[in-house]
Amino acid sequence: MPDLRGVGKTWGFKGGYKLAEQKATTSVLYEETRVFEAPRDLAENSNVMQWMKKKGFKSEREMRAWTGQNFIAFWDEMAKTYADWFEPYAQVLNWQPPYAKWFVGGKINVAYNAVDRHAAGAKKDKVAYIFVPEPVDQPTQKITYADLAKRVNKLANGLKSLGVAKGDRVSIYMPMIPETPIAMLACAKIGAIHSVVFSGFSAGGLNSRVLDAESKVVITTDGFFRRGKPLPLKPNVDEATANTPSVKNVVVVKRAGIDVPMKAGKDVWYHELVAKQSDVCESEKMDAEDRLFILYTSGTTGKPKGIEHVHGGYCVTPAQTLSWVFDIKDSDVWWCTADVGWITGHSYVVYGPLCLGATSMIYEGSPDYPDFSRWFKIINENKVSVLYTAPTAVRMFMKAGDKWPKTHDISCLRLLGSVGEPINPEAWIWYRNNFGAGKLPIMDTWWQTETGCFLVSPLPITPLKPGSPTFPLPGFNVDILDEDANPVPPGSGGNIVSNSPWPSMLRAFFRDEVRYKKEYWSTYWDIRPGTYLAGDKATKDKDGYFTIQGRIDDVLKVAGHRISNAEVESALVSHPKVAEAAVIGKPDEVKGEVIVAFVILKTGIEATEDLKPILAKHVRTVLGPVAYPEVVYFVNDVPKTRSGKIMRRVIKAKALGNPVGDISALANPESVEAIPLIK
Ligand code: PRX
């Protein structure tokens, strides 16, 4: 690795986050002592155990350590095992921190790996997706790999007919229906770059993402079903694309049977577009490093970051981690409940399971429609064997009551998973007892939009501790560092980092190189260049088990969804009556956090109770239901540093009744007193 010490200075920054202020090192207050051994049968027959035996590893620890030290050789083997290459690569890794190139010179396409090779082989009649529509009177659909290939090819040809070519961006704004993965795969197939925008974002959220990506086409639906009702979606696209000159066409899937205006020359019905296309389409031979997708995620500023991922890496690590962590066998039915609008859906509803040739569930709607027995019915009827969901869903079921999991026989489940936010030990135990008959292991996987795949996670052979994602996975060198880049000793915590690159890591931010370098690489650059700062605080216990404590930056996790405080604040400030706003997360027993806003009104505007829901609704209109503030408070001032930065940490401490620490450096320390205690 080249010595790049000091390069950070030439970038015009030194240290991304002030670690002292963030208190990088903390001590572990609570230590989990319960340990749950993996069931012997599961461990013995697991995919990872087969590999360990072949390689002669005696223990899990030895295997995890060896693959970390020899990560290049490890990923070389995995790339050859899990992916089919049109042309082999000449070099496994070219690492010029902070830029990694994996499988240099290799030619590949993830759509070929996910669909074509199965459709042309023994798995052609295997079901790729089982789709359960939300309305109970609509039948379940089963899509085989052969069907999927035809549908992807028709849309790929359809996109070509609209002039979409390699490198063009296509925004996908859709609910959870089979056409969503089909749209992603069709883009990948022809080398277009997809940018999926979660359908819970409003026209404003979609607009900023389409503008930034300069998308040529937007794919959407007339509407979608939510709690039994058809709701419109296309009008959001009309509004969002009113000022986006790059958008030439909007392709509309007829899903909800809602009457929507179609603009001649611009809007195209999906079914009409694909009807006239051939169901044969060759996959574009992509360079391993060619961009596959952009996925916007929230960071510390109000502007979402366009995280870029590539074809080569995406053919390898989602599939390999899914195979090892969730032990996917040919007979399994895998259900990752995440929406495809987030990274979990990209990696573990689309690319990972399809590259493995697995069968996956897609469910369109709410877990409690028509009541809380829905998921259990789906599990039972479709013989779901591996379930991967979020702590917020577990806590929601926990609150709804123990009776619901008993409404159906769910003994077909053999393994459980969790992702998106820390799972508290109480929810972990409830999940194991009520979904897992008191015996199924829970794979608590820690990862991010930026990482593309799990980084810290148990394997089906790992002794588990509730609330811990356990250890870095094979092939990764994840650690927890103090502010001087020393690994923290057992019993304390610090910043979670990766000391080495991995194939599905982000490559860049779309058109924002400076921010890419600053956010992930600058903090430890002068001490150890090439250290990836994840942005989470974590602790390690005496046995080396990780526990994730949450973000070091101002990013909220509401029901597992990543939302930046700054984005919600700027939505509030866009209301004509608002002068300034500060947003914090308040702990919530189901959603993990809910959004609380402190608003300073413009001079002369009366602070009335009626105005509060109006402002909350305004945020919903600008950003979408996903960012809805639960409570709004009016204040005259908010604490700020002398440079004008809002001190959300201080506001949060005061509002929650916690010690605020030293506030003498604030420009307006008196403002702290006026922050109300929130219930
Ligand atoms: O804070 C961590 C939390 O989610 C963040 C990443 O959010 P996003 O990019 O939206 O991806 C979510 C799905 C991978 C992380 O920085 N997080 C994710 N998984 C866990 C977690 N926190 C604790 N435990 C997890 N298993």
Side-chain angles (χ1 to χ4, degrees):
M1 184 188 293
D3 184 0
L4 295 180
R5 270 157 218 254
V7 171
K9 289 176 191 129
T10 61
W11 290 347
F13 57 78
K14 187 173 180 299
Y17 296 100
K18 284 200 193 119
L19 296 181
E21 187 188 272
Q22 298 288 350
K23 279 213 172 51
T25 313
T26 52
S27 58
V28 179
L29 297 177
Y30 166 81
E31 188 143 334
E32 181 60 62
T33 49
R34 289 167 290 188
V35 177
F36 296 86
E37 295 293 334
R40 186 179 278 272
D41 256 18
L42 175 79
E44 268 307 301
N45 296 315
S46 64
N47 296 341
V48 61
M49 186 61 94
Q50 306 312 313
W51 188 83
M52 279 173 62
K53 281 185 183 154
K54 196 170 85 186
K55 296 283 173 179
F57 288 109
K58 299 272 177 306
S59 74
E60 179 184 353
R61 262 176 203 253
E62 183 199 359
M63 183 275 290
R64 291 207 194 225
W66 188 91
T67 55
Q69 281 148 19
N70 298 280
F71 71 97
I72 299 180
F74 177 77
W75 289 119
D76 184 23
E77 181 180 337
M78 294 303 130
K80 289 173 175 142
T81 308
Y82 285 90
D84 280 344
W85 296 82
F86 297 134
E87 284 174 34
Y89 46 87
Q91 187 186 9
V92 182
L93 171 66
N94 178 346
W95 179 218
Q96 307 285 336
Y99 298 107
K101 288 190 175 131
W102 281 91
F103 315 124
V104 183
K107 297 277 184 238
I108 197 158
N109 189 310
V110 75
Y112 176 86
N113 275 275
V115 188
D116 297 1
R117 61 173 174 166
H118 307 310
K123 288 191 175 173
K124 69 178 186 330
D125 296 324
K126 182 171 175 178
V127 174
Y129 284 125
I130 305 174
F131 171 57
V132 177
E134 195 199 64
V136 281
D137 55 354
Q138 293 183 12
T140 296
Q141 296 170 25
K142 292 193 173 167
I143 302 169
T144 64
Y145 276 94
D147 298 334
L148 186 64
K150 285 185 192 155
R151 291 175 67 174
V152 169
N153 290 349
K154 279 175 161 274
L155 182 61
N157 287 328
L159 291 174
K160 278 190 194 170
S161 76
L162 296 176
V164 178
K166 185 173 169 181
D168 286 341
R169 272 82 56 206
V170 173
S171 294
I172 299 174
Y173 181 64
M174 290 167 80
M176 281 296 284
I177 55 174
E179 284 82 357
T180 313
I182 289 172
M184 295 162 73
L185 292 158
C187 290
K189 180 143 231 193
I190 62 173
I193 300 168
H194 61 70
S195 163
V196 182
V197 180
F198 176 53
S199 58
F201 283 114
S202 66
L206 175 63
N207 172 258
S208 57
R209 287 160 175 82
V210 172
L211 272 176
D212 192 72
E214 292 187 297
S215 298
K216 202 167 195 174
V217 167
V218 179
I219 309 179
T220 189
T221 59
D222 56 348
F224 61 99
F225 289 94
R226 192 45 36 121
R227 308 197 52 74
K229 278 205 283 281
L231 296 174
L233 193 62
K234 164 88 171 18
N236 285 357
V237 180
D238 295 339
E239 196 184 325
T241 57
N243 67 343
T244 53
S246 64
V247 177
K248 302 289 176 253
N249 291 106
V250 175
V251 178
V252 188
V253 177
K254 199 172 248 186
R255 169 64 194 126
I258 292 175
D259 236 354
V260 289
M262 297 289 282
K263 199 166 168 198
K266 185 181 178 196
D267 298 343
V268 186
W269 284 112
Y270 180 102
H271 58 275
E272 288 175 7
L273 177 71
V274 298
K276 40 188 193 246
Q277 305 299 332
S278 152
D279 62 11
V280 178
C281 179
E282 280 290 300
S283 287
E284 193 74 30
K285 293 191 171 51
M286 305 296 286
D287 190 276
E289 282 295 312
D290 277 338
R291 300 310 189 236
L292 167 64
F293 67 84
I294 304 170
L295 183 59
Y296 288 90
T297 189
S298 297
T300 31
T301 73
K303 188 174 184 292
K305 318 185 267 199
I307 305 289
E308 293 184 30
H309 282 288
V310 302
H311 272 261
Y314 251 77
C315 291
V316 182
T317 63
Q320 182 270 339
T321 50
L322 181 59
S323 167
W324 284 33
V325 171
F326 285 102
D327 195 41
I328 299 298
K329 304 279 201 282
D330 204 29
S331 53
D332 276 313
V333 176
W334 160 249
W335 187 11
C336 164
T337 66
D339 192 286
V340 173
W342 305 98
I343 194 68
T344 309
H346 282 60
S347 301
Y348 297 108
V349 176
V350 184
Y351 295 117
L354 293 179
C355 284
L356 285 180
T359 298
S360 300
M361 288 297 310
I362 298 183
Y363 170 53
E364 183 179 26
S366 309
D368 57 345
Y369 182 79
D371 61 33
F372 279 107
S373 68
R374 190 71 193 266
W375 273 25
F376 306 101
K377 186 168 189 278
I378 293 174
I379 293 168
N380 169 282
E381 283 178 356
N382 299 287
K383 299 288 161 272
V384 173
S385 53
V386 188
L387 177 73
Y388 184 41
T389 193
T392 187
V394 173
R395 292 190 296 256
M396 187 189 66
F397 281 112
M398 196 169 146
K399 203 170 164 203
D402 296 3
K403 69 172 189 185
W404 296 108
K406 299 190 181 83
T407 52
H408 292 84
D409 176 4
I410 53 167
S411 58
C412 45
L413 287 172
R414 66 180 195 94
L415 209 49
L416 303 172
S418 172
V419 62
E421 52 178 316
I423 179 161
N424 44 313
E426 193 196 356
W428 195 98
I429 296 284
W430 187 90
Y431 189 28
R432 179 176 167 100
N433 286 341
N434 291 275
F435 278 70
K439 59 178 190 219
L440 296 190
I442 298 168
M443 304 290 112
D444 177 4
T445 61
W446 176 87
W447 61 295
Q448 312 176 292
T449 304
E450 292 85 343
T451 68
C453 69
F454 320 140
L455 258 60
V456 179
S457 170
L459 292 159
I461 54 177
T462 312
L464 304 175
K465 293 190 184 184
S468 168
T470 72
F471 312 108
L473 279 173
F476 294 95
N477 288 289
V478 177
D479 206 345
I480 305 172
L481 303 185
D482 67 15
E483 50 263 51
D484 300 318
N486 301 311
V488 297
S492 49
N495 288 310
I496 190 159
V497 302
S498 174
N499 290 317
S500 61
W502 63 99
S504 66
M505 66 193 273
L506 79 165
R507 296 305 195 269
F509 281 5
F510 190 65
R511 294 184 182 157
D512 197 346
E513 197 182 346
V514 171
R515 201 168 164 204
Y516 167 75
K517 290 174 173 172
K518 182 171 188 297
E519 296 226 351
Y520 303 110
W521 307 97
S522 63
T523 300
Y524 290 112
W525 193 268
D526 292 335
I527 309 170
R528 239 185 25 213
T531 306
Y532 169 83
L533 181 85
D536 276 5
K537 282 167 80 73
T539 60
K540 220 189 268 179
D541 75 4
K542 63 176 182 352
D543 302 319
Y545 280 72
F546 281 42
T547 300
I548 312 295
Q549 295 179 309
R551 303 284 309 178
I552 61 171
D553 52 9
D554 285 323
V555 169
L556 299 156
K557 269 286 170 153
V558 181
H561 298 153
R562 184 165 156 181
I563 298 159
S564 93
N565 304 53
E567 227 176 334
V568 182
E569 287 160 2
S570 58
L572 282 162
V573 174
S574 72
H575 190 279
K577 294 191 173 166
V578 174
E580 237 179 313
V583 159
I584 61 162
K586 177 183 134 191
D588 180 85
E589 65 168 23
V590 173
K591 293 183 179 171
E593 281 192 301
V594 291
I595 298 174
V596 176
F598 295 89
V599 171
I600 305 171
L601 294 172
K602 282 189 180 151
T603 317
I605 304 291
E606 207 188 328
T608 62
E609 281 305 305
D610 305 356
L611 187 54
K612 291 180 175 176
I614 294 174
L615 296 182
K617 263 175 85 180
H618 176 72
V619 176
R620 183 200 287 263
T621 310
V622 176
L623 291 175
V626 69
Y628 191 75
E630 189 102 336
V631 197
V632 175
Y633 290 95
F634 293 126
V635 288
N636 291 325
D637 202 1
V638 289
K640 286 186 195 141
T641 60
R642 297 221 158 85
S643 59
K645 185 174 170 283
I646 296 174
M647 291 303 289
R648 301 182 186 100
R649 192 170 46 81
V650 173
I651 301 173
K652 186 167 178 172
K654 177 67 178 33
L656 297 179
N658 296 328
V660 291
D662 181 9
I663 52 167
S664 55
L666 292 180
N668 53 352
E670 67 291 346
S671 64
V672 179
E673 257 330 289
I675 298 291
L677 197 64
I678 60 180
K679 287 143 245 135

